[in-house]
Amino acid sequence: GALVYQYPRRTICKSGTSMRMECQAVGFQATSVAWYRQSPQKTFELIALSTVNSAIKYEQNFTQEKFPISHPNLSFSSMTVLNAYLEDRGLYLCGARDYSYEQYFGPGTRLTVL
Amino acid sequence: QQQVRQSPQSLTVWEGGTTVLTCSYEDSTFNYFPWYQQFPGEGPALLISILSVSDKKEDGRFTTFFNKREKKLSLHIIDSQPGDSATYFCAAMRNNNAPRFGAGTKLSVKP
């Protein structure tokens, strides 16, 4: 079956430092990977969508300078939260899909910023 | 970014009862509408989905209805069970894009 793993599951970083998180797709080809953030008491906000052979598209209020993403092959993606501050805390989800509509989600990386 | 509106925010249902969750959207180019179920500590898992060419899809106790004209969709859970207690998210998307989520409904099914 199709599975998405995320690493780490939980992480703590000091304010002003950076944190890298990873997403691994197993059992299917992740032609597109979407990164989301779920802040406390909020829904999942789309950060960016990375599609093979296309430029990474960032949503309003999210930038490459703050959330650089790498999608080097059809099974792996990573995202870094640069210069993290309190407002960046939350659950970061990776959702990957192949050529179909169905999106498979990982369990998320929970980021705490001190 | 709030392109999908979902209600209610929370809901309590007795075991055996019917749960109804509703969503609406604005972008008429959306053509695929998944519903996700999320348990604490886990990522959202696809529960049921519907394409805009259909108006109803059923999977066991779960049925989703879609009204293209009104840009509304709903999820019905019949014979609700305590194990159904979770947070449910509706979402909307078009191909070559990513799902946009509603705010979620926290469902509690009491025995």
Side-chain angles (χ1 to χ4, degrees), chain A residues 9 36 43 46 59 97 101 106, chain B residues 1 31 41 95 97 99-100 102:
Chain A
R9 292 292 304 272
Y36 295 81
T43 189
L46 179 63
E59 292 293 302
R97 53 188 282 234
Y101 279 103
Chain B
Q1 254 203 38
N31 61 356
N95 203 7
N97 215 302
R100 310 288 174 148

Side-chain angles (χ1 to χ4, degrees), chain A residues 9 34 36 38 42-47 49 57 59-60 62 91 93 97 99-103 105-107, chain B residues 1-3 31-32 36 38 41-46 51 89 93-104:
Chain A
R9 292 292 304 272
Y36 295 81
Q38 185 182 36
K42 289 188 176 181
T43 189
F44 297 102
E45 290 182 281
L46 179 63
I47 296 171
L49 176 66
K57 186 179 177 185
E59 292 293 302
Q60 195 174 13
F62 296 97
L91 181 68
L93 272 186
R97 53 188 282 234
Y99 298 98
S100 69
Y101 279 103
E102 187 168 346
Q103 195 102 1
F105 286 90
Chain B
Q1 254 203 38
Q2 194 56 37
Q3 300 181 28
N31 61 356
Y32 175 69
Y36 293 94
Q38 185 186 29
E42 299 179 9
L46 180 67
L51 287 166
F89 294 91
M93 66 180 282
R94 49 188 171 274
N95 203 7
N96 299 323
N97 215 302
R100 310 288 174 148
F101 283 83

Side-chain angles (χ1 to χ4, degrees), chain B residues 29-81:
Chain B
T29 65
F30 288 145
N31 61 356
Y32 175 69
F33 303 88
W35 286 89
Y36 293 94
Q37 181 187 54
Q38 185 186 29
F39 294 104
E42 299 179 9
L46 180 67
L47 182 65
I48 192 170
S49 63
I50 191 166
L51 287 166
S52 60
V53 294
S54 301
D55 55 16
K56 177 183 175 181
K57 187 172 181 182
E58 197 172 332
D59 184 358
R61 296 186 294 110
F62 302 90
T63 301
T64 182
F65 295 91
F66 176 68
N67 186 320
K68 188 172 185 176
R69 183 179 61 83
E70 295 185 9
K71 295 182 184 174
K72 290 182 178 179
L73 55 152
S74 63
L75 175 69
H76 293 232
I77 308 173
I78 62 171
D79 188 24
S80 299
Q81 300 295 309

Side-chain angles (χ1 to χ4, degrees), chain A residues 51-81:
Chain A
T51 304
V52 169
N53 299 324
S54 296
I56 298 172
K57 186 179 177 185
Y58 285 83
E59 292 293 302
Q60 195 174 13
N61 300 326
F62 296 97
T63 65
Q64 182 180 8
E65 290 71 31
K66 173 73 174 177
F67 299 96
I69 290 170
S70 171
H71 187 183
N73 57 53
L74 293 175
S75 64
F76 182 83
S77 176
S78 66
M79 184 178 75
T80 302
V81 181

